[in-house]
Amino acid sequence: MKILVINCGSSSLKFQLIDSDTEAVIGKGLCERIGIEGSKISFTPAGKDKITKETPMPDHNEAIRLVIEAITDPVNGVAQLSEIGAVGHRIVHGGENFTSSVVINDEVIKAIEEVSDLAPLHNPANLIGIRACQKAMPNVPMVAVFDTAFHQTMPEEAYLYGLPYSYYEKYKIRRYGFHGTSHSYVSKRVAEIMGKDYDSLKTIVCHLGNGASVSAVKNGKCVDTSMGLTPLEGLIMGTRSGDIDPSVIDFIEQKEGIDTKAVMNILNKKSGVFGLSDDLSSDFRDLEAGYNAGNKGAIRAVDAFCYKVAKYIGSYVAAMNGVDTICFTAGIGENTSFVREKVLAYLGYLGITIDKEANKVHGEEKLISTADSKVKVYVVPTNEELAIARDTYALCK
Ligand code: AMP
């Protein structure tokens, strides 16, 4: 069966067509600037060059129509429409309603709508993607795969904030966590690589990308993760602040004469390593170059980023009363050896020794700790699309 994986944002739509038998990517692409002037679709059929077409895309229905047109094109296409057996949709927030992926029906759509206030930028866009696909492929089953689902196993002491309990009861204000598909995929994959039983392993996954989060997975269940009600909590990220004292918000409002909305925009878009580097860059390729050139902003940002990752790892060793393996994944985790080395330098007390040669790896599965290291450290490239395709296939085969 061929599975279409859709990751729909408010003005963009990423897609991949995956063969469920071989798990190969048959084609993938991106629609950009949906509803904005200058929209374009790019499509890369497996083994061929990328094809880009600028074309009006007033809404997501048109974007989906173009996706199907690209996939089924007689020259560069990769499948017939009738071969698409199921569609898997990445949904950002499932609230407490969803602990695993589900086949989409009216009830599921209603439940996703109900938690849209928890992810106002993402869930409405995800729903638009579902509806556009339903319109274009009315008889094809669809599955919702939630970023939050994997973290629903967190115990109460990990997910509750120290707030009046009534806010949890009334508004479901609690920690949810994100990147769950990635944390799930990587924690399972590392157990396979190690030849160990997933259900008896203590794993810490560091998903370090533009958005970044750490999770603690004990005996096959997530027991804590660094993101919270929204993806703003936790690590210092590309442009997001991560953890701060909430009083900072009111303080900035007073000092700068701006409102809460403006401060939240700063915390989401102008902070993180971008803000700390004095607006040098949010991209670790630039920051690494700056670091090596002695740029003070780059050094400040990278040092703070690595310190925070190490601090979270330490807290999750405490949460799990130990750790067997630590995994690095996503853009920075997979590619930036100097960040991995800096983080691991804090963790000598765990008996971790890094294999500096192995740690030069980029984007490949690799053990980067020495043979005698007490805790095994791996680079495990994430593959959220494959994880979505697997869940979709499992529910639709
Ligand atoms: P992601 O959000 O997982 O796509 O990660 C994006 C971030 O990964 C970028 O902002 C970069 O900081 C980092 N990144 C991606 N590729 C590389 C690379 N080859 N070398 C260093 N950093 C990279």
Side-chain angles (χ1 to χ4, degrees):
M1 187 193 288
K2 293 185 171 70
I3 312 273
L4 179 61
V5 175
I6 297 284
N7 181 354
C8 197
S10 55
S11 66
S12 70
L13 188 158
K14 282 191 231 160
F15 62 98
Q16 278 195 10
L17 192 67
I18 296 178
D19 186 323
S20 61
D21 295 335
T22 61
E23 298 200 329
V25 177
I26 310 164
K28 61 179 180 181
L30 171 68
C31 297
E32 289 171 274
R33 301 179 66 83
I34 302 168
I36 309 170
E37 203 136 309
S39 40
K40 62 178 177 187
I41 176 168
S42 57
F43 178 58
T44 313
K48 291 193 186 170
D49 290 339
K50 180 152 100 176
I51 304 148
T52 303
K53 184 167 118 181
E54 265 201 47
T55 177
M57 243 179 265
D59 56 29
H60 288 75
N61 288 325
E62 179 60 9
I64 289 292
R65 194 192 68 72
L66 288 160
V67 168
I68 292 170
E69 190 178 270
I71 288 171
T72 59
D73 182 77
V75 181
N76 289 307
V78 288
Q80 310 276 334
L81 185 55
S82 59
E83 288 180 284
I84 300 176
V87 182
H89 291 269
R90 176 197 177 203
I91 309 294
V92 167
H93 219 307
E96 288 188 328
N97 296 333
F98 299 103
T99 55
S100 61
S101 303
V102 286
V103 174
I104 297 171
N105 56 26
D106 290 348
E107 222 173 279
V108 168
I109 290 182
K110 199 161 156 265
I112 296 171
E113 271 168 354
E114 273 168 18
V115 292
S116 278
D117 58 347
L118 294 170
L121 297 178
H122 295 99
N123 273 28
N126 300 158
L127 283 164
I128 290 170
I130 292 175
R131 292 201 173 100
C133 285
Q134 285 180 326
K135 212 167 160 193
M137 294 168 276
N139 299 316
V140 177
M142 314 228 171
V143 168
V145 180
F146 300 91
D147 273 16
T148 47
F150 180 63
H151 305 303
Q152 277 296 303
T153 49
M154 281 195 285
E156 202 177 49
E157 63 266 27
Y159 73 67
L160 283 180
Y161 289 116
L163 291 171
Y165 189 64
S166 58
Y167 291 159
Y168 168 64
E169 291 181 307
K170 279 195 286 188
Y171 310 123
K172 296 290 169 208
I173 296 177
R174 51 159 283 179
R175 305 182 58 257
Y176 289 96
F178 298 86
H179 297 137
T181 312
S182 176
H183 287 289
S184 165
Y185 173 86
V186 171
S187 57
K188 285 180 186 136
R189 181 69 198 131
V190 81
E192 281 172 13
I193 297 168
M194 294 172 79
K196 299 266 179 181
D197 181 9
Y198 185 51
D199 293 334
S200 56
L201 210 56
K202 293 173 182 172
T203 304
I204 294 174
V205 178
C206 305
H207 176 110
L208 308 180
N210 202 25
S213 62
V214 187
S215 69
V217 184
K218 185 179 180 184
N219 304 338
K221 288 196 170 72
C222 176
V223 293
D224 207 345
T225 192
S226 58
M227 284 178 167
L229 177 77
T230 74
L232 185 55
E233 188 179 339
L235 299 177
I236 292 171
M237 305 180 217
T239 60
R240 284 176 235 156
S241 64
D243 302 331
I244 57 163
D245 178 343
S247 307
V248 168
I249 297 171
D250 180 55
F251 200 79
I252 296 175
E253 281 180 32
Q254 308 289 333
K255 293 286 179 195
E256 294 273 309
I258 55 178
D259 62 10
T260 308
K261 205 170 162 209
V263 179
M264 293 312 293
N265 190 51
I266 291 165
L267 297 182
N268 275 294
K269 305 225 168 108
K270 305 272 180 209
S271 301
V273 287
F274 175 77
L276 272 174
S277 67
D278 224 356
D279 299 1
L280 176 69
S281 181
S282 63
D283 193 304
F284 267 74
R285 284 161 284 204
D286 303 329
L287 293 171
E288 183 170 5
Y291 196 98
N292 291 333
N295 179 291
K296 283 195 177 138
I299 294 168
R300 188 191 307 128
V302 169
D303 285 349
F305 177 88
C306 295
Y307 173 72
K308 196 64 168 276
V309 176
K311 205 162 125 172
Y312 262 99
I313 293 174
S315 70
Y316 290 166
V317 174
M320 295 194 290
N321 192 17
V323 61
D324 297 309
T325 177
I326 297 171
C327 303
F328 288 92
T329 195
I332 302 161
E334 291 168 27
N335 292 298
T336 311
S337 50
F338 94 118
V339 165
R340 295 192 296 253
E341 190 172 339
K342 276 185 156 298
V343 170
L344 294 173
Y346 285 102
L347 305 174
Y349 72 97
L350 291 173
I352 292 177
T353 36
I354 187 166
D355 178 338
K356 289 199 177 187
E357 197 50 41
N359 187 41
K360 288 179 182 162
V361 69
H362 275 265
E364 267 175 55
E365 288 179 352
K366 185 130 190 147
L367 176 70
I368 59 164
S369 52
T370 57
D372 60 348
S373 179
K374 280 201 190 121
V375 176
K376 304 295 173 209
V377 186
Y378 287 86
V379 170
V380 180
T382 192
N383 195 338
E384 288 166 286
E385 288 78 12
L386 177 58
I388 292 171
R390 281 180 180 167
D391 273 18
T392 304
Y393 179 67
L395 288 167
C396 296
K397 66 183 173 193

